[in-house]
């Protein structure tokens, strides 16, 4: 390969040859990361600084998250005696990859006039110098997204050094990035048993517990971390975030406010503060916090998207210009760029410039799709397996199993289909607790599936046939115990994880008396609404029109199967019917759940409660028709979605 030959020439000091090989390779693959990097380094060593900067601009434009490009830019700027710009470049480098030893060394010298920053850089140099060479390599590979070789090197090192807590932490970091949270949690628990005072491992542990929605445990660990150093902004943020996660918003906001007042609030602190304010309905203050976030970091895409995600905010001309500039800037990260495109899509849609809006929605989804591991064929196989396994005969044979509690009410379907509205109606009842999109059923299915090689078949749901009634009852009790943290004593509670529709058979086995509601919406409205919504995680099928249409087809097919094998188990609530006759649908929902009618359920928008989903502001208003047929102005671009849905699901083709 040209990149290997160019690297070999560079390492051998054959600079002219290295540059020529890189240039020749780039003629065929002009955005090749390794070739651009080799060419820039070769140009710097040949004192061709201006050429190197041009090459680095190309590299950053094509690969904005490649931190070594900024490190190399820093070296070039040092050679040009432009220290202020060099310091900014090295700062960007270590922000993207904290394992870049050379950047931290350079920052020690470049921060001679800033003792605090110079000391921080010296601490990082000392930390990285003490790290074994293999682990330093692992850390760098993690930040460059090379997770497979990083895992191989880290596991090999751990076999030789089984009690090395930094190796455990790095392997847990890899697991977290691969969404293998149970392994990550175990590794961090082990590391902290060996070294309880290892703050970085405890900080990562808080993060993993949060991702697993073990919010009470995460809060306890964050409090322990905060006690180690009450003046550390990282630890203060962690405690505030976890306080918000368990509903202690006053405590969280007190910490955020103190950080803002002290001047120690980073962009992420302002963002988290905005999220907390939004959740408890203080929208004007949330807007100010989101604006402070992008004021602190002008290309902070999540701040702009959070404003757009309020659904009621309208961007100014200045904000739109700033977003457009940041989206095009070569140094903007891929994640920020995706957020900016989604925010720009919403901004242009609000101004009825539908062509520009779709272009931005499409660009944002394309960036997300390129980073996604979603496999539509695998999803079809998963749904097929549910249909094949859960036959009427099996349902009859396993009748009477599970935990008999009727406390849970599951609201399933697709995101953006009206599930938050159904939840708000139920949570307005005196006997129902509105909680979250709980991960517990999905986590149980994942656990039952076990750890497998990529070429091994799925174990779930077939493995359920090998379990007995006591197993199902235990799973049901575990679900109730694990979700207790979200409840305050009402007899019933909601779980509005939409993806649970894929596990209704499992829910029936472990909680046979649970109520299930399918929140459904017009397919074009539902799918296009999902396409233009940037989800935090877990809904990767929305990143393409064909993918979301295909997923909707699978959902309809699987729900038809549940209706056939579990007649009457699931109540279907159509969003459009809610708009046409709210009282009738509210009474249907309450009857299905065995609840008496209460007027507060009709006046759901008056209910004061925390709402964390994208519809948080909408459910604080009376029901509205403006959400219907929003796809129509975008119809010229939606043929792939129509084809994926098919004429039987969407006849208007």
């Amino acid at each position: 390969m040209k990149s290997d030959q160019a690297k070999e020439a560079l390492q051998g000091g054959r600079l002219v040859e290295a540059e020529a090989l890189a240039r020749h390779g780039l003629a065929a693959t002009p955005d090749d990361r390794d070739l651009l990097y080799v060419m820039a380094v070769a140009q710097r060593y040949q004192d061709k600084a201006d050429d190197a900067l041009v090459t680095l601009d190309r590299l950053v434009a094509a690969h904005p998250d490649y931190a070594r490009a900024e490190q190399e830019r820093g070296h070039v700027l040092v050679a040009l005696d432009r220290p202020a710009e060099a310091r900014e470049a090295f700062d960007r480098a270590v922000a993207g990859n904290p394992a870049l030893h050379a950047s931290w060394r350079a920052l020690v010298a470049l921060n001679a006039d800033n003792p605090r920053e110079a000391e921080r850089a010296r601490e990082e140099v000392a930390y990285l110098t003490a790290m074994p060479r293999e682990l330093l390599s692992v850390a760098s590979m993690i930040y460059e997204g090379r997770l497979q070789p990083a895992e191989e090197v880290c596991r090999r090192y751990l076999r030789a050094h089984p009690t090395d807590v930094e190796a455990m932490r790095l392997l847990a970091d890899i697991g977290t990035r691969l969404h293998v949270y149970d392994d990550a949690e175990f590794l961090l628990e082990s590391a902290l048993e060996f070294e309880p005072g290892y703050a970085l491992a405890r900080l990562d542990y808080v993060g993993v517990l949060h991702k697993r929605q073990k919010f009470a445990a995460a809060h306890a660990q964050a409090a322990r971390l905060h006690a180690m150093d009450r003046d550390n902004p990282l630890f203060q943020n962690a405690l505030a975030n976890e306080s918000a996660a368990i509903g202690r918003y006053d405590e969280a906001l007190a910490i955020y406010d103190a950080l803002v007042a002290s001047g120690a609030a980073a962009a992420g602190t302002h963002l988290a503060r905005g999220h907390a304010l939004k959740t408890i309905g203080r929208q004007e203050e949330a807007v100010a916090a989101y604006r402070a976030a992008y004021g602190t970091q002008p290309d902070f895409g999540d701040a702009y998207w959070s404003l757009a995600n309020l659904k009621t905010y309208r961007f100014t001309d200045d904000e739109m210009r700033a977003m457009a500039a940041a989206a095009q800037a070569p140094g903007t990260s891929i994640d920020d760029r995706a957020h900016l495109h989604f925010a720009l899509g919403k901004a242009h849609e609000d101004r009825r410039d539908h062509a520009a809006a779709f272009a931005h929605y499409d660009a944002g989804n394309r960036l997300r799709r390129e980073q996604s591991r979603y496999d539509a064929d695998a999803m079809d196989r998963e749904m097929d397996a549910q249909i094949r396994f859960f036959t009427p005969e099996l349902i009859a044979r396993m009748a009477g199993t599970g935990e008999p509690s009727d406390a849970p009410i599951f609201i399933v379907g697709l995101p953006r289909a009206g599930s938050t509205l159904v939840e708000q109606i139920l949570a307005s009842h005196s006997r129902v607790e509105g909680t979250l999109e709980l991960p517990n059923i999905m986590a149980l299915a994942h656990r039952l599936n076990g750890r497998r090689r990529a070429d091994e078949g799925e174990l779930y749901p077939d493995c359920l046939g090998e379990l007995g009634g006591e197993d199902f009852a235990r799973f049901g009790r575990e679900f109730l115990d694990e979700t207790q943290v979200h409840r305050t004593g009402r007899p019933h509670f909601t779980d509005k994880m939409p993806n649970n529709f894929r596990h209704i058979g499992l829910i029936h086995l472990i909680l046979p008396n649970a109520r299930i509601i399918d929140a459904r919406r017009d397919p074009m409205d539902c799918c296009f609404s999902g396409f233009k919504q940037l989800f935090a995680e877990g809904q990767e099928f929305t990143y393409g029109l064909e993918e979301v249409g295909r997923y909707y087809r699978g959902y309809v097919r699987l729900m038809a199967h549940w209706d056939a094998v579990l007649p009457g188990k699931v109540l279907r609530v159509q969003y459009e019917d809610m708009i046409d006759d709210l009282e009738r649908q509210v009474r249907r929902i309450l009857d299905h759940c065995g609840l008496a009618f209460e007027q507060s359920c009709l006046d759901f928008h008056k209910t004061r409660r925390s709402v964390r989903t994208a519809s948080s502001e909408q459910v604080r208003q009376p029901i509205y028709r403006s959400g219907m047929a929003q796809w129509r102005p975008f119809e010229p671009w939606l043929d792939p979605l129509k084809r994926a849905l098919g004429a039987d699901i969407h006849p208007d083709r």
Side-chain angles (χ1 to χ4, degrees):
M1 294 175 61
K2 289 291 183 185
S3 60
D4 293 335
Q5 295 171 352
K7 286 179 190 176
E8 184 180 344
L10 181 65
Q11 291 164 356
R14 305 191 305 277
L15 304 179
V16 175
E17 180 185 350
E19 182 181 1
L21 285 167
R23 195 180 300 280
H24 184 261
L26 288 166
T29 54
D31 290 339
D32 185 282
R33 189 187 75 178
D34 293 340
L35 288 171
L36 286 166
Y37 181 73
V38 167
M39 187 159 80
V41 174
Q43 288 167 336
R44 173 168 66 90
Y45 280 131
Q46 295 175 80
D47 296 324
K48 298 160 68 173
D50 290 338
D51 289 347
L53 289 175
V54 171
T55 302
L56 288 167
D57 284 343
R58 285 178 60 188
L59 175 55
V60 170
H63 305 279
D65 291 343
Y66 188 46
R68 288 184 187 274
E70 292 299 342
Q71 175 173 269
E72 183 58 26
R73 190 193 302 276
H75 290 317
V76 174
L77 292 167
V78 166
L80 290 171
D81 195 24
R82 290 155 61 178
E85 293 173 80
R87 180 167 57 192
E88 291 176 359
F90 285 124
D91 278 338
R92 289 193 296 270
V94 296
N97 183 348
L100 291 177
H101 199 191
S103 290
W104 287 115
R105 286 201 310 269
L107 285 168
V108 172
L110 290 167
N111 280 300
D113 60 341
N114 189 334
R116 182 176 176 179
E117 287 301 312
E119 180 58 28
R120 175 173 172 250
R122 272 191 289 271
E123 290 174 357
E124 293 293 339
V125 169
Y127 169 71
L128 294 173
T129 301
M131 186 182 290
R133 181 175 52 83
E134 298 93 334
L135 296 186
L136 186 60
S137 175
V138 168
S140 192
M141 285 190 284
I142 288 173
Y143 288 112
E144 291 175 2
R146 299 159 56 202
L147 299 183
Q148 183 175 347
E151 181 177 1
E152 292 171 358
V153 173
C154 197
R155 288 190 182 279
R156 187 162 59 244
Y157 182 86
L158 262 175
R159 282 195 290 270
H161 307 84
T163 61
D164 190 302
V165 293
E166 178 62 6
M168 293 179 193
R169 189 190 72 81
L170 289 171
L171 189 57
D173 189 5
I174 295 168
T176 299
R177 291 167 189 262
L178 292 173
H179 300 166
V180 188
Y181 298 131
D182 47 353
D183 284 8
E185 181 181 349
F186 173 75
L187 283 162
L188 291 166
E189 282 178 352
S190 301
L192 289 169
E193 285 181 10
F194 284 115
E195 196 171 325
Y198 189 16
L200 190 54
R202 197 168 297 280
L203 184 63
D204 287 356
Y205 188 39
V206 171
V208 169
L209 290 170
H210 184 96
K211 286 181 179 296
R212 301 199 72 188
Q213 294 197 15
K214 295 183 176 182
F215 296 130
H219 181 267
Q221 292 297 324
R224 186 169 175 179
L225 189 66
H226 182 250
M228 295 168 64
D229 183 356
R230 295 182 182 277
D231 296 326
N232 188 312
L234 276 178
F235 301 168
Q236 290 171 314
N237 270 299
L239 182 57
N241 294 343
E242 300 314 319
S243 295
I246 60 172
R248 297 183 184 177
Y249 293 103
D250 289 344
E251 295 175 24
L253 287 167
I255 299 172
Y256 292 139
D257 291 347
L259 285 165
V260 171
S262 70
T269 303
H270 289 293
L271 183 78
R273 182 171 176 269
H275 290 340
L277 291 164
K278 168 193 169 183
T279 301
I280 60 176
R282 291 161 59 180
Q283 185 178 15
E284 289 185 9
E285 293 172 85
V287 167
Y290 293 143
R291 284 175 165 169
Y294 76 62
T296 304
Q297 181 186 324
D299 67 352
F300 192 16
D302 204 350
Y304 288 106
W305 168 246
S306 295
L307 287 166
N309 206 29
L310 290 171
K311 310 303 182 189
T312 55
Y313 184 79
R314 297 297 178 264
F315 287 103
T316 66
D317 291 345
D318 286 344
E319 286 173 324
M320 290 185 68
R321 282 190 289 268
M323 284 191 287
Q328 296 303 316
T332 301
S333 72
I334 292 173
D335 187 59
D336 283 320
R337 201 186 304 275
H339 280 86
L340 287 162
H341 278 301
F342 276 96
L344 281 163
K346 178 65 165 61
H348 283 289
E349 183 179 1
D350 289 338
R351 297 185 177 205
R352 301 187 184 281
D353 185 349
H354 297 106
F358 184 82
H360 283 293
Y361 287 139
D362 193 45
N365 275 294
R366 185 167 57 253
L367 288 172
R368 277 292 197 239
R369 198 161 58 246
E370 289 169 356
Q371 295 179 301
S372 169
R373 295 182 296 149
Y374 179 69
D375 183 340
D377 291 335
M379 183 57 67
D380 283 344
R381 289 193 297 271
E382 177 185 316
M383 295 192 199
D384 288 341
Q386 295 287 324
I387 291 171
R388 183 186 67 252
F389 180 77
F390 283 101
T391 62
E393 294 75 21
L394 180 131
I395 297 290
R397 178 164 59 84
M398 293 188 169
T401 64
E403 161 60 45
S405 171
D406 66 350
I409 302 171
F410 292 92
I411 305 168
V412 304
L414 261 69
R416 312 296 298 146
S419 59
T420 304
L421 175 58
V422 174
E423 180 197 45
Q424 182 77 349
I425 288 167
L426 283 165
S428 300
H429 196 282
S430 61
R431 295 179 60 79
V432 182
E433 188 86 47
T435 64
L436 304 168
E437 295 180 356
L438 303 175
N440 305 75
I441 295 297
M442 303 282 288
L444 173 59
H446 177 76
R447 193 164 81 238
L448 289 166
N449 215 11
R451 292 295 305 276
R452 296 161 294 104
R453 296 193 310 270
D455 59 346
E456 289 183 311
E458 303 281 326
L459 302 178
Y460 168 82
D462 292 331
C463 63
L464 297 175
E466 302 171 9
L467 302 178
E470 183 50 42
D471 295 309
F472 298 128
R474 175 167 50 85
F475 293 150
R477 288 192 297 272
E478 287 174 355
F479 175 85
L480 296 175
D481 291 343
E482 291 168 0
T483 56
Q484 185 62 45
V485 66
H486 303 292
R487 303 173 62 186
T488 61
R490 293 186 181 187
H492 301 280
F493 68 100
T494 62
D495 175 354
K496 66 177 291 289
M497 174 61 77
N499 303 339
N500 280 341
F501 81 85
R502 308 200 307 254
H503 307 290
I504 286 176
L506 175 62
I507 291 171
H508 178 70
L509 292 181
I510 71 172
L511 293 160
N513 296 318
R515 305 309 206 276
I516 303 176
I517 298 170
D518 172 23
R520 191 169 294 196
R521 186 180 177 190
D522 171 83
M524 289 294 290
D525 266 335
C526 184
C527 292
F528 184 63
S529 185
F531 179 77
K532 63 181 186 174
Q533 177 70 39
L534 178 53
F535 295 96
E537 60 181 356
Q539 310 295 356
E540 293 178 317
F541 60 87
T542 62
Y543 296 146
L545 292 172
E546 182 179 349
E547 288 84 352
V548 70
R550 185 170 168 183
Y551 187 87
Y552 192 99
R553 277 192 69 82
Y555 151 71
V556 169
R557 181 166 56 93
L558 184 53
M559 290 308 302
H561 175 73
W562 298 132
D563 289 343
V565 299
L566 293 168
K569 179 75 177 180
V570 180
L571 175 71
R572 183 150 301 109
V573 177
Q574 194 74 30
Y575 178 77
E576 292 76 15
D577 293 341
M578 300 271 280
I579 293 174
D580 289 338
D581 189 346
L582 177 62
E583 182 171 348
R584 180 172 181 273
Q585 297 306 315
V586 168
R587 290 184 180 277
R588 286 182 69 231
I589 292 168
L590 297 178
D591 286 347
H592 182 71
C593 297
L595 298 167
F597 177 79
E598 292 182 1
Q599 181 63 32
S600 57
C601 296
L602 273 181
D603 299 330
F604 62 87
H605 55 284
K606 298 178 182 178
T607 300
R608 304 260 61 89
R609 57 180 288 263
S610 301
V611 184
R612 303 191 191 191
T613 63
S615 304
S616 62
E617 295 309 309
Q618 292 162 316
V619 297
R620 293 185 173 119
Q621 304 166 12
I623 201 162
Y624 64 104
R625 291 184 174 273
S626 59
M628 296 177 66
Q630 289 188 347
W631 64 274
R632 283 289 183 188
F634 295 89
E635 190 167 12
W637 303 281
L638 300 185
D639 281 349
L641 173 56
K642 291 182 181 181
R643 287 193 296 269
L645 287 170
D648 54 329
I649 291 179
H650 176 65
D652 180 16
R653 296 182 65 197

